[in-house]
Amino acid sequence: TVGAYSHVAASKFLPESTPEFFESFGEVFAAVESGSAEFGVVPIVNSTAGTVSQTYELMRKHDFKICACTKVAANHCLAVKPGTDISKIRRVYSHEQALMQCSRYLAEHGYSAHTYENTALAAAYVRDSSEPIAAICSEVCAKHFGMEIIEKSIADAECNYTKFILIAKQMMLSDDADIISVSLTTPHQTSALYRLLTKFSVSGLNLTKLESRPIANTDFDVLFYLDFEGSIKSPDVVKLIRELETELSYFKFLGNYKEI
């Protein structure tokens, strides 16, 4: 939706394109996988609230490749429909990540948090409601919907950034790509994860992120997401990836890309 942080990220990735808006991250992944959309933009992690769980769940279910990533400053404000009696506000609507990023502010003011698909849709809902409610969104979003900004910069952390990924059906490799993302599972054996991480050290590759997510309907099995520095044009990287594909029961190459 216009004014959402995903819209800002899309403008950084594809400045000459006019985006098509979807109401959920799931619809974005589905559109990319089906080929009805060439690219998709979704948030993956925030510097205050951590990983975006919904995105990781969708990454496990869909076929895609990461083409690029970028960071967007999340400058949240509290916005209401013009004429709203501020003293009567009790409920605040936004995406769950934005609500978590502003949890201290909400608690201090006694507001209850209510989740919405994204910040822009929450703002639109508040604008169209006849009730005394508020939304957490960007200032650009609030102005786009003609809302009144009650307070600016309400996030718990002064430096609040969200990282977005650009996804596509097929891998698009740039000459300067230096980030590799993979997902995998490890066997139920002693020191399995240690042995896996040792492979990166032996190969001289810098592991920059390790994220674990539970796999539903299993006996506490987990899926690991790893980011590391490198290019698939490097022999050491190719050797490591081939080892992982051969040795592990599940391995998925998610992309080799650059941060914009």
Side-chain angles (χ1 to χ4, degrees), residues 25-35 37-44 54-69 164-172 180-183 223-227 250-257:
F25 301 157
E27 290 179 78
V28 174
F29 274 92
V32 169
E33 187 171 28
S34 68
E38 185 176 4
F39 298 103
V41 177
V42 290
I44 191 167
Q54 186 181 6
T55 297
Y56 275 98
E57 285 302 309
L58 292 165
M59 287 169 66
R60 181 174 64 85
K61 298 175 182 177
H62 291 275
D63 182 22
F64 70 98
K65 289 293 184 290
I66 302 175
C67 302
C69 71
F164 289 82
I165 53 174
L166 179 71
I167 62 173
K169 177 71 171 179
Q170 304 295 332
M171 185 171 73
M172 303 181 69
I180 296 175
S181 293
V182 300
S183 64
L223 186 64
F224 291 101
Y225 291 88
L226 292 82
D227 290 353
Y250 176 86
F251 176 84
K252 185 177 181 180
F253 179 81
L254 299 177
N256 187 190
Y257 54 95

Tab-separated table of all heavy atoms in Angstrom, residues 25-35 37-44 54-69 164-172 180-183 223-227 250-257:
chain	number	residue	atom	x	y	z
A	25	PHE	N	1.895	-10.421	2.977
A	25	PHE	CA	3.181	-10.930	2.503
A	25	PHE	C	2.983	-12.236	1.737
A	25	PHE	O	3.700	-12.523	0.777
A	25	PHE	CB	4.135	-11.164	3.681
A	25	PHE	CG	4.420	-9.937	4.498
A	25	PHE	CD1	4.855	-10.053	5.813
A	25	PHE	CD2	4.268	-8.665	3.968
A	25	PHE	CE1	5.124	-8.928	6.581
A	25	PHE	CE2	4.536	-7.534	4.719
A	25	PHE	CZ	4.968	-7.669	6.035
A	26	GLY	N	2.019	-13.030	2.189
A	26	GLY	CA	1.745	-14.294	1.518
A	26	GLY	C	1.343	-14.096	0.063
A	26	GLY	O	1.737	-14.865	-0.813
A	27	GLU	N	0.565	-13.060	-0.213
A	27	GLU	CA	0.152	-12.767	-1.588
A	27	GLU	C	1.354	-12.346	-2.432
A	27	GLU	O	1.412	-12.637	-3.633
A	27	GLU	CB	-0.902	-11.665	-1.587
A	27	GLU	CG	-2.248	-12.078	-1.021
A	27	GLU	CD	-3.244	-10.937	-1.029
A	27	GLU	OE1	-3.795	-10.651	-2.107
A	27	GLU	OE2	-3.465	-10.321	0.029
A	28	VAL	N	2.325	-11.665	-1.820
A	28	VAL	CA	3.529	-11.254	-2.535
A	28	VAL	C	4.319	-12.491	-2.968
A	28	VAL	O	4.709	-12.620	-4.136
A	28	VAL	CB	4.408	-10.335	-1.658
A	28	VAL	CG1	5.730	-10.027	-2.366
A	28	VAL	CG2	3.679	-9.037	-1.327
A	29	PHE	N	4.565	-13.399	-2.032
A	29	PHE	CA	5.302	-14.624	-2.360
A	29	PHE	C	4.567	-15.442	-3.425
A	29	PHE	O	5.188	-15.976	-4.354
A	29	PHE	CB	5.500	-15.475	-1.107
A	29	PHE	CG	6.708	-15.106	-0.293
A	29	PHE	CD1	6.616	-14.205	0.742
A	29	PHE	CD2	7.948	-15.667	-0.573
A	29	PHE	CE1	7.739	-13.858	1.502
A	29	PHE	CE2	9.072	-15.338	0.164
A	29	PHE	CZ	8.967	-14.424	1.208
A	30	ALA	N	3.256	-15.550	-3.284
A	30	ALA	CA	2.474	-16.340	-4.235
A	30	ALA	C	2.534	-15.729	-5.633
A	30	ALA	O	2.623	-16.455	-6.629
A	30	ALA	CB	1.022	-16.429	-3.760
A	31	ALA	N	2.484	-14.403	-5.724
A	31	ALA	CA	2.530	-13.722	-7.022
A	31	ALA	C	3.874	-13.944	-7.707
A	31	ALA	O	3.945	-14.175	-8.920
A	31	ALA	CB	2.264	-12.233	-6.838
A	32	VAL	N	4.949	-13.906	-6.926
A	32	VAL	CA	6.286	-14.128	-7.483
A	32	VAL	C	6.438	-15.582	-7.933
A	32	VAL	O	6.942	-15.865	-9.024
A	32	VAL	CB	7.377	-13.766	-6.452
A	32	VAL	CG1	8.748	-14.255	-6.911
A	32	VAL	CG2	7.401	-12.261	-6.212
A	33	GLU	N	5.989	-16.498	-7.111
A	33	GLU	CA	6.139	-17.921	-7.443
A	33	GLU	C	5.320	-18.298	-8.680
A	33	GLU	O	5.751	-19.112	-9.501
A	33	GLU	CB	5.720	-18.785	-6.256
A	33	GLU	CG	6.006	-20.257	-6.443
A	33	GLU	CD	5.790	-21.063	-5.177
A	33	GLU	OE1	4.954	-20.642	-4.335
A	33	GLU	OE2	6.449	-22.092	-5.009
A	34	SER	N	4.141	-17.700	-8.827
A	34	SER	CA	3.280	-18.018	-9.967
A	34	SER	C	3.727	-17.319	-11.245
A	34	SER	O	3.310	-17.697	-12.349
A	34	SER	CB	1.833	-17.616	-9.662
A	34	SER	OG	1.713	-16.187	-9.581
A	35	GLY	N	4.561	-16.281	-11.102
A	35	GLY	CA	5.014	-15.533	-12.266
A	35	GLY	C	4.155	-14.332	-12.597
A	35	GLY	O	4.441	-13.603	-13.546
A	37	ALA	N	3.961	-11.726	-10.850
A	37	ALA	CA	4.772	-10.555	-10.487
A	37	ALA	C	6.236	-10.916	-10.711
A	37	ALA	O	6.671	-12.006	-10.347
A	37	ALA	CB	4.537	-10.150	-9.035
A	38	GLU	N	6.985	-10.016	-11.323
A	38	GLU	CA	8.397	-10.298	-11.602
A	38	GLU	C	9.234	-10.234	-10.329
A	38	GLU	O	10.155	-11.026	-10.125
A	38	GLU	CB	8.936	-9.301	-12.624
A	38	GLU	CG	10.365	-9.599	-13.066
A	38	GLU	CD	10.853	-8.655	-14.157
A	38	GLU	OE1	10.099	-7.719	-14.521
A	38	GLU	OE2	11.993	-8.848	-14.648
A	39	PHE	N	8.901	-9.275	-9.454
A	39	PHE	CA	9.624	-9.099	-8.198
A	39	PHE	C	8.643	-8.912	-7.051
A	39	PHE	O	7.491	-8.521	-7.249
A	39	PHE	CB	10.540	-7.867	-8.254
A	39	PHE	CG	11.624	-7.931	-9.287
A	39	PHE	CD1	11.508	-7.212	-10.473
A	39	PHE	CD2	12.752	-8.700	-9.081
A	39	PHE	CE1	12.509	-7.258	-11.434
A	39	PHE	CE2	13.771	-8.763	-10.036
A	39	PHE	CZ	13.640	-8.041	-11.217
A	40	GLY	N	9.135	-9.175	-5.840
A	40	GLY	CA	8.366	-8.910	-4.634
A	40	GLY	C	9.264	-8.297	-3.583
A	40	GLY	O	10.479	-8.528	-3.576
A	41	VAL	N	8.678	-7.512	-2.696
A	41	VAL	CA	9.428	-6.861	-1.624
A	41	VAL	C	8.769	-7.184	-0.284
A	41	VAL	O	7.574	-6.941	-0.101
A	41	VAL	CB	9.468	-5.330	-1.821
A	41	VAL	CG1	10.192	-4.654	-0.655
A	41	VAL	CG2	10.144	-4.974	-3.139
A	42	VAL	N	9.554	-7.753	0.644
A	42	VAL	CA	9.027	-8.101	1.965
A	42	VAL	C	10.073	-7.782	3.040
A	42	VAL	O	11.275	-7.859	2.784
A	42	VAL	CB	8.643	-9.597	2.061
A	42	VAL	CG1	7.407	-9.905	1.225
A	42	VAL	CG2	9.804	-10.481	1.647
A	43	PRO	N	9.623	-7.438	4.250
A	43	PRO	CA	10.565	-7.192	5.346
A	43	PRO	C	11.056	-8.505	5.924
A	43	PRO	O	10.331	-9.503	5.931
A	43	PRO	CB	9.714	-6.425	6.367
A	43	PRO	CG	8.336	-6.964	6.153
A	43	PRO	CD	8.221	-7.222	4.668
A	44	ILE	N	12.290	-8.514	6.419
A	44	ILE	CA	12.830	-9.760	6.965
A	44	ILE	C	13.331	-9.614	8.392
A	44	ILE	O	13.290	-10.560	9.182
A	44	ILE	CB	13.934	-10.322	6.041
A	44	ILE	CG1	14.307	-11.749	6.443
A	44	ILE	CG2	15.154	-9.403	6.006
A	44	ILE	CD1	15.137	-12.469	5.415
A	54	GLN	N	6.620	-14.000	10.097
A	54	GLN	CA	5.752	-14.337	8.977
A	54	GLN	C	6.547	-14.520	7.687
A	54	GLN	O	6.277	-15.433	6.905
A	54	GLN	CB	4.697	-13.246	8.791
A	54	GLN	CG	3.657	-13.564	7.748
A	54	GLN	CD	2.650	-12.446	7.575
A	54	GLN	OE1	2.784	-11.373	8.153
A	54	GLN	NE2	1.627	-12.688	6.771
A	55	THR	N	7.546	-13.670	7.485
A	55	THR	CA	8.363	-13.783	6.277
A	55	THR	C	9.135	-15.092	6.271
A	55	THR	O	9.222	-15.781	5.241
A	55	THR	CB	9.341	-12.595	6.168
A	55	THR	OG1	8.579	-11.379	6.032
A	55	THR	CG2	10.260	-12.742	4.976
A	56	TYR	N	9.703	-15.471	7.414
A	56	TYR	CA	10.468	-16.720	7.470
A	56	TYR	C	9.586	-17.938	7.228
A	56	TYR	O	10.017	-18.907	6.599
A	56	TYR	CB	11.195	-16.830	8.807
A	56	TYR	CG	12.515	-16.113	8.813
A	56	TYR	CD1	12.632	-14.837	9.345
A	56	TYR	CD2	13.652	-16.683	8.264
A	56	TYR	CE1	13.841	-14.151	9.335
A	56	TYR	CE2	14.868	-16.022	8.240
A	56	TYR	CZ	14.953	-14.760	8.776
A	56	TYR	OH	16.153	-14.094	8.750
A	57	GLU	N	8.358	-17.896	7.716
A	57	GLU	CA	7.446	-19.013	7.464
A	57	GLU	C	7.138	-19.128	5.973
A	57	GLU	O	7.082	-20.229	5.417
A	57	GLU	CB	6.148	-18.806	8.253
A	57	GLU	CG	6.279	-19.067	9.735
A	57	GLU	CD	6.750	-20.488	10.019
A	57	GLU	OE1	6.146	-21.442	9.483
A	57	GLU	OE2	7.735	-20.651	10.763
A	58	LEU	N	6.965	-17.988	5.313
A	58	LEU	CA	6.669	-17.988	3.885
A	58	LEU	C	7.889	-18.391	3.055
A	58	LEU	O	7.757	-19.029	2.006
A	58	LEU	CB	6.172	-16.604	3.464
A	58	LEU	CG	4.804	-16.214	4.036
A	58	LEU	CD1	4.559	-14.720	3.880
A	58	LEU	CD2	3.698	-17.014	3.352
A	59	MET	N	9.070	-18.033	3.534
A	59	MET	CA	10.302	-18.424	2.842
A	59	MET	C	10.445	-19.942	2.796
A	59	MET	O	10.986	-20.516	1.843
A	59	MET	CB	11.516	-17.797	3.535
A	59	MET	CG	11.648	-16.312	3.302
A	59	MET	SD	12.888	-15.529	4.363
A	59	MET	CE	14.395	-16.287	3.765
A	60	ARG	N	9.967	-20.616	3.832
A	60	ARG	CA	10.047	-22.083	3.886
A	60	ARG	C	9.074	-22.728	2.898
A	60	ARG	O	9.364	-23.779	2.321
A	60	ARG	CB	9.734	-22.563	5.303
A	60	ARG	CG	9.808	-24.068	5.492
A	60	ARG	CD	9.636	-24.439	6.957
A	60	ARG	NE	8.322	-24.090	7.471
A	60	ARG	CZ	7.242	-24.868	7.360
A	60	ARG	NH1	7.330	-26.028	6.736
A	60	ARG	NH2	6.098	-24.494	7.875
A	61	LYS	N	7.941	-22.071	2.652
A	61	LYS	CA	6.877	-22.677	1.856
A	61	LYS	C	6.978	-22.389	0.357
A	61	LYS	O	6.415	-23.126	-0.450
A	61	LYS	CB	5.515	-22.185	2.359
A	61	LYS	CG	5.212	-22.567	3.802
A	61	LYS	CD	3.900	-21.943	4.260
A	61	LYS	CE	3.605	-22.266	5.723
A	61	LYS	NZ	2.366	-21.601	6.190
A	62	HIS	N	7.674	-21.324	-0.020
A	62	HIS	CA	7.636	-20.888	-1.410
A	62	HIS	C	8.975	-21.050	-2.123
A	62	HIS	O	10.035	-21.097	-1.500
A	62	HIS	CB	7.191	-19.421	-1.483
A	62	HIS	CG	5.759	-19.205	-1.107
A	62	HIS	ND1	4.715	-19.350	-1.999
A	62	HIS	CD2	5.186	-18.863	0.080
A	62	HIS	CE1	3.578	-19.113	-1.378
A	62	HIS	NE2	3.835	-18.810	-0.125
A	63	ASP	N	8.872	-21.097	-3.447
A	63	ASP	CA	10.048	-21.220	-4.310
A	63	ASP	C	10.400	-19.826	-4.827
A	63	ASP	O	9.600	-19.194	-5.528
A	63	ASP	CB	9.738	-22.159	-5.478
A	63	ASP	CG	10.941	-22.351	-6.384
A	63	ASP	OD1	12.077	-22.138	-5.922
A	63	ASP	OD2	10.735	-22.696	-7.563
A	64	PHE	N	11.591	-19.330	-4.513
A	64	PHE	CA	11.984	-17.969	-4.865
A	64	PHE	C	13.494	-17.834	-4.717
A	64	PHE	O	14.169	-18.717	-4.203
A	64	PHE	CB	11.303	-16.953	-3.934
A	64	PHE	CG	11.841	-17.013	-2.529
A	64	PHE	CD1	12.805	-16.116	-2.101
A	64	PHE	CD2	11.425	-18.003	-1.645
A	64	PHE	CE1	13.338	-16.189	-0.824
A	64	PHE	CE2	11.940	-18.081	-0.365
A	64	PHE	CZ	12.910	-17.170	0.047
A	65	LYS	N	14.022	-16.687	-5.144
A	65	LYS	CA	15.420	-16.350	-4.923
A	65	LYS	C	15.516	-14.896	-4.456
A	65	LYS	O	14.748	-14.045	-4.906
A	65	LYS	CB	16.239	-16.519	-6.210
A	65	LYS	CG	16.439	-17.972	-6.630
A	65	LYS	CD	17.307	-18.727	-5.643
A	65	LYS	CE	17.585	-20.157	-6.099
A	65	LYS	NZ	16.380	-20.998	-6.023
A	66	ILE	N	16.438	-14.635	-3.533
A	66	ILE	CA	16.679	-13.267	-3.073
A	66	ILE	C	17.615	-12.583	-4.066
A	66	ILE	O	18.682	-13.110	-4.380
A	66	ILE	CB	17.298	-13.258	-1.665
A	66	ILE	CG1	16.387	-13.986	-0.669
A	66	ILE	CG2	17.538	-11.819	-1.197
A	66	ILE	CD1	16.990	-14.132	0.718
A	67	CYS	N	17.218	-11.409	-4.547
A	67	CYS	CA	18.000	-10.685	-5.558
A	67	CYS	C	18.754	-9.492	-4.979
A	67	CYS	O	19.741	-9.042	-5.571
A	67	CYS	CB	17.082	-10.179	-6.666
A	67	CYS	SG	16.158	-11.484	-7.487
A	68	ALA	N	18.282	-8.957	-3.857
A	68	ALA	CA	18.924	-7.788	-3.239
A	68	ALA	C	18.317	-7.579	-1.869
A	68	ALA	O	17.272	-8.150	-1.525
A	68	ALA	CB	18.732	-6.535	-4.101
A	69	CYS	N	18.973	-6.750	-1.058
A	69	CYS	CA	18.408	-6.345	0.229
A	69	CYS	C	18.715	-4.870	0.450
A	69	CYS	O	19.622	-4.304	-0.169
A	69	CYS	CB	18.938	-7.206	1.376
A	69	CYS	SG	20.679	-6.932	1.803
A	164	PHE	N	14.721	-5.119	4.187
A	164	PHE	CA	13.806	-5.720	3.219
A	164	PHE	C	14.599	-6.525	2.197
A	164	PHE	O	15.749	-6.200	1.903
A	164	PHE	CB	13.007	-4.638	2.482
A	164	PHE	CG	11.980	-3.943	3.332
A	164	PHE	CD1	12.351	-2.901	4.175
A	164	PHE	CD2	10.649	-4.317	3.295
A	164	PHE	CE1	11.411	-2.261	4.964
A	164	PHE	CE2	9.701	-3.675	4.080
A	164	PHE	CZ	10.088	-2.646	4.919
A	165	ILE	N	13.961	-7.556	1.656
A	165	ILE	CA	14.578	-8.330	0.584
A	165	ILE	C	13.738	-8.197	-0.683
A	165	ILE	O	12.509	-8.072	-0.626
A	165	ILE	CB	14.753	-9.818	0.951
A	165	ILE	CG1	13.427	-10.446	1.414
A	165	ILE	CG2	15.832	-9.988	1.999
A	165	ILE	CD1	13.503	-11.951	1.658
A	166	LEU	N	14.424	-8.208	-1.817
A	166	LEU	CA	13.787	-8.226	-3.130
A	166	LEU	C	13.830	-9.666	-3.622
A	166	LEU	O	14.914	-10.256	-3.725
A	166	LEU	CB	14.543	-7.312	-4.095
A	166	LEU	CG	14.015	-7.241	-5.538
A	166	LEU	CD1	12.689	-6.477	-5.583
A	166	LEU	CD2	15.048	-6.579	-6.446
A	167	ILE	N	12.681	-10.243	-3.906
A	167	ILE	CA	12.633	-11.646	-4.320
A	167	ILE	C	12.134	-11.773	-5.759
A	167	ILE	O	11.404	-10.916	-6.264
A	167	ILE	CB	11.746	-12.492	-3.378
A	167	ILE	CG1	10.295	-11.999	-3.403
A	167	ILE	CG2	12.306	-12.473	-1.969
A	167	ILE	CD1	9.326	-12.892	-2.624
A	168	ALA	N	12.551	-12.855	-6.412
A	168	ALA	CA	12.132	-13.147	-7.778
A	168	ALA	C	12.036	-14.655	-7.947
A	168	ALA	O	12.492	-15.428	-7.095
A	168	ALA	CB	13.122	-12.555	-8.786
A	169	LYS	N	11.451	-15.090	-9.048
A	169	LYS	CA	11.300	-16.523	-9.317
A	169	LYS	C	12.657	-17.159	-9.613
A	169	LYS	O	12.968	-18.248	-9.156
A	169	LYS	CB	10.355	-16.721	-10.501
A	169	LYS	CG	10.163	-18.159	-10.930
A	169	LYS	CD	9.339	-18.951	-9.927
A	169	LYS	CE	8.986	-20.316	-10.489
A	169	LYS	NZ	8.208	-21.132	-9.520
A	170	GLN	N	13.473	-16.446	-10.388
A	170	GLN	CA	14.772	-16.958	-10.785
A	170	GLN	C	15.890	-16.119	-10.165
A	170	GLN	O	15.692	-14.946	-9.863
A	170	GLN	CB	14.905	-16.937	-12.317
A	170	GLN	CG	13.814	-17.691	-13.059
A	170	GLN	CD	13.841	-19.176	-12.793
A	170	GLN	OE1	14.900	-19.737	-12.495
A	170	GLN	NE2	12.698	-19.836	-12.906
A	171	MET	N	17.060	-16.720	-10.008
A	171	MET	CA	18.198	-15.999	-9.450
A	171	MET	C	18.703	-14.971	-10.456
A	171	MET	O	18.807	-15.245	-11.652
A	171	MET	CB	19.328	-16.957	-9.085
A	171	MET	CG	20.497	-16.257	-8.391
A	171	MET	SD	21.727	-17.410	-7.734
A	171	MET	CE	22.493	-17.946	-9.266
A	172	MET	N	19.013	-13.785	-9.949
A	172	MET	CA	19.585	-12.718	-10.768
A	172	MET	C	20.893	-12.307	-10.111
A	172	MET	O	20.891	-11.648	-9.067
A	172	MET	CB	18.612	-11.547	-10.877
A	172	MET	CG	17.256	-11.941	-11.451
A	172	MET	SD	16.121	-10.556	-11.613
A	172	MET	CE	16.910	-9.629	-12.924
A	180	ILE	N	25.411	-14.312	0.591
A	180	ILE	CA	24.777	-15.580	0.215
A	180	ILE	C	23.841	-16.011	1.336
A	180	ILE	O	24.205	-15.967	2.513
A	180	ILE	CB	25.822	-16.679	-0.048
A	180	ILE	CG1	26.684	-16.305	-1.255
A	180	ILE	CG2	25.145	-18.033	-0.270
A	180	ILE	CD1	27.821	-17.269	-1.528
A	181	SER	N	22.632	-16.399	0.963
A	181	SER	CA	21.652	-16.888	1.931
A	181	SER	C	21.267	-18.324	1.599
A	181	SER	O	21.031	-18.649	0.424
A	181	SER	CB	20.397	-16.008	1.931
A	181	SER	OG	20.669	-14.720	2.417
A	182	VAL	N	21.206	-19.164	2.623
A	182	VAL	CA	20.791	-20.557	2.449
A	182	VAL	C	19.895	-20.947	3.616
A	182	VAL	O	19.887	-20.293	4.666
A	182	VAL	CB	22.002	-21.521	2.389
A	182	VAL	CG1	22.913	-21.170	1.218
A	182	VAL	CG2	22.782	-21.504	3.701
A	183	SER	N	19.145	-22.010	3.444
A	183	SER	CA	18.403	-22.616	4.554
A	183	SER	C	18.705	-24.099	4.559
A	183	SER	O	18.938	-24.699	3.501
A	183	SER	CB	16.897	-22.356	4.428
A	183	SER	OG	16.375	-22.961	3.274
A	223	LEU	N	14.681	-25.442	11.336
A	223	LEU	CA	15.244	-25.071	10.045
A	223	LEU	C	16.155	-23.875	10.281
A	223	LEU	O	15.762	-22.902	10.920
A	223	LEU	CB	14.121	-24.697	9.078
A	223	LEU	CG	14.480	-24.403	7.625
A	223	LEU	CD1	15.052	-25.643	6.957
A	223	LEU	CD2	13.249	-23.912	6.870
A	224	PHE	N	17.382	-23.963	9.810
A	224	PHE	CA	18.347	-22.880	9.994
A	224	PHE	C	18.436	-22.025	8.735
A	224	PHE	O	18.443	-22.545	7.613
A	224	PHE	CB	19.738	-23.444	10.312
A	224	PHE	CG	19.843	-24.098	11.651
A	224	PHE	CD1	19.796	-25.482	11.777
A	224	PHE	CD2	19.985	-23.332	12.814
A	224	PHE	CE1	19.890	-26.096	13.017
A	224	PHE	CE2	20.080	-23.938	14.052
A	224	PHE	CZ	20.039	-25.318	14.158
A	225	TYR	N	18.497	-20.717	8.947
A	225	TYR	CA	18.744	-19.765	7.869
A	225	TYR	C	20.097	-19.121	8.127
A	225	TYR	O	20.337	-18.593	9.219
A	225	TYR	CB	17.654	-18.695	7.821
A	225	TYR	CG	16.307	-19.208	7.370
A	225	TYR	CD1	15.395	-19.742	8.282
A	225	TYR	CD2	15.947	-19.168	6.024
A	225	TYR	CE1	14.166	-20.222	7.868
A	225	TYR	CE2	14.717	-19.646	5.601
A	225	TYR	CZ	13.834	-20.160	6.527
A	225	TYR	OH	12.617	-20.643	6.112
A	226	LEU	N	20.969	-19.173	7.134
A	226	LEU	CA	22.319	-18.634	7.292
A	226	LEU	C	22.619	-17.614	6.200
A	226	LEU	O	22.285	-17.828	5.025
A	226	LEU	CB	23.371	-19.737	7.229
A	226	LEU	CG	23.419	-20.763	8.359
A	226	LEU	CD1	22.388	-21.853	8.163
A	226	LEU	CD2	24.809	-21.398	8.438
A	227	ASP	N	23.257	-16.518	6.590
A	227	ASP	CA	23.818	-15.552	5.643
A	227	ASP	C	25.323	-15.553	5.835
A	227	ASP	O	25.808	-15.563	6.972
A	227	ASP	CB	23.298	-14.128	5.916
A	227	ASP	CG	21.834	-13.961	5.574
A	227	ASP	OD1	21.242	-14.892	4.997
A	227	ASP	OD2	21.276	-12.893	5.901
A	250	TYR	N	18.252	-31.745	3.941
A	250	TYR	CA	17.541	-30.599	3.376
A	250	TYR	C	18.502	-29.429	3.255
A	250	TYR	O	19.133	-29.015	4.239
A	250	TYR	CB	16.353	-30.187	4.259
A	250	TYR	CG	15.643	-28.936	3.756
A	250	TYR	CD1	14.634	-29.018	2.801
A	250	TYR	CD2	16.006	-27.675	4.233
A	250	TYR	CE1	14.000	-27.884	2.322
A	250	TYR	CE2	15.374	-26.530	3.760
A	250	TYR	CZ	14.375	-26.638	2.807
A	250	TYR	OH	13.759	-25.516	2.333
A	251	PHE	N	18.629	-28.895	2.049
A	251	PHE	CA	19.465	-27.715	1.798
A	251	PHE	C	18.823	-26.916	0.678
A	251	PHE	O	18.452	-27.465	-0.363
A	251	PHE	CB	20.883	-28.112	1.395
A	251	PHE	CG	21.748	-26.925	1.040
A	251	PHE	CD1	22.407	-26.210	2.025
A	251	PHE	CD2	21.871	-26.521	-0.282
A	251	PHE	CE1	23.189	-25.109	1.697
A	251	PHE	CE2	22.654	-25.422	-0.616
A	251	PHE	CZ	23.311	-24.711	0.378
A	252	LYS	N	18.687	-25.608	0.890
A	252	LYS	CA	18.059	-24.747	-0.113
A	252	LYS	C	18.901	-23.485	-0.295
A	252	LYS	O	19.173	-22.764	0.674
A	252	LYS	CB	16.642	-24.379	0.328
A	252	LYS	CG	15.848	-23.576	-0.704
A	252	LYS	CD	14.439	-23.332	-0.187
A	252	LYS	CE	13.603	-22.561	-1.193
A	252	LYS	NZ	12.228	-22.324	-0.682
A	253	PHE	N	19.339	-23.262	-1.512
A	253	PHE	CA	20.100	-22.048	-1.842
A	253	PHE	C	19.101	-20.917	-2.106
A	253	PHE	O	18.253	-21.028	-3.002
A	253	PHE	CB	20.963	-22.304	-3.077
A	253	PHE	CG	21.773	-21.117	-3.517
A	253	PHE	CD1	22.973	-20.806	-2.893
A	253	PHE	CD2	21.330	-20.303	-4.542
A	253	PHE	CE1	23.720	-19.704	-3.298
A	253	PHE	CE2	22.068	-19.210	-4.961
A	253	PHE	CZ	23.262	-18.910	-4.329
A	254	LEU	N	19.181	-19.835	-1.337
A	254	LEU	CA	18.192	-18.768	-1.430
A	254	LEU	C	18.631	-17.573	-2.263
A	254	LEU	O	17.799	-16.754	-2.658
A	254	LEU	CB	17.829	-18.281	-0.013
A	254	LEU	CG	17.218	-19.328	0.917
A	254	LEU	CD1	16.991	-18.735	2.297
A	254	LEU	CD2	15.921	-19.847	0.339
A	255	GLY	N	19.943	-17.470	-2.533
A	255	GLY	CA	20.377	-16.373	-3.385
A	255	GLY	C	21.754	-15.841	-3.052
A	255	GLY	O	22.280	-16.043	-1.959
A	256	ASN	N	22.334	-15.155	-4.040
A	256	ASN	CA	23.613	-14.463	-3.899
A	256	ASN	C	23.360	-13.048	-4.398
A	256	ASN	O	23.022	-12.852	-5.574
A	256	ASN	CB	24.659	-15.171	-4.737
A	256	ASN	CG	26.075	-14.642	-4.529
A	256	ASN	OD1	26.995	-14.993	-5.276
A	256	ASN	ND2	26.298	-13.791	-3.534
A	257	TYR	N	23.491	-12.064	-3.528
A	257	TYR	CA	23.010	-10.727	-3.844
A	257	TYR	C	23.823	-9.642	-3.149
A	257	TYR	O	24.783	-9.925	-2.420
A	257	TYR	CB	21.540	-10.610	-3.454
A	257	TYR	CG	21.272	-10.996	-2.009
A	257	TYR	CD1	21.218	-10.049	-0.993
A	257	TYR	CD2	21.101	-12.338	-1.655
A	257	TYR	CE1	20.986	-10.406	0.326
A	257	TYR	CE2	20.876	-12.708	-0.348
A	257	TYR	CZ	20.817	-11.740	0.645
A	257	TYR	OH	20.617	-12.107	1.950
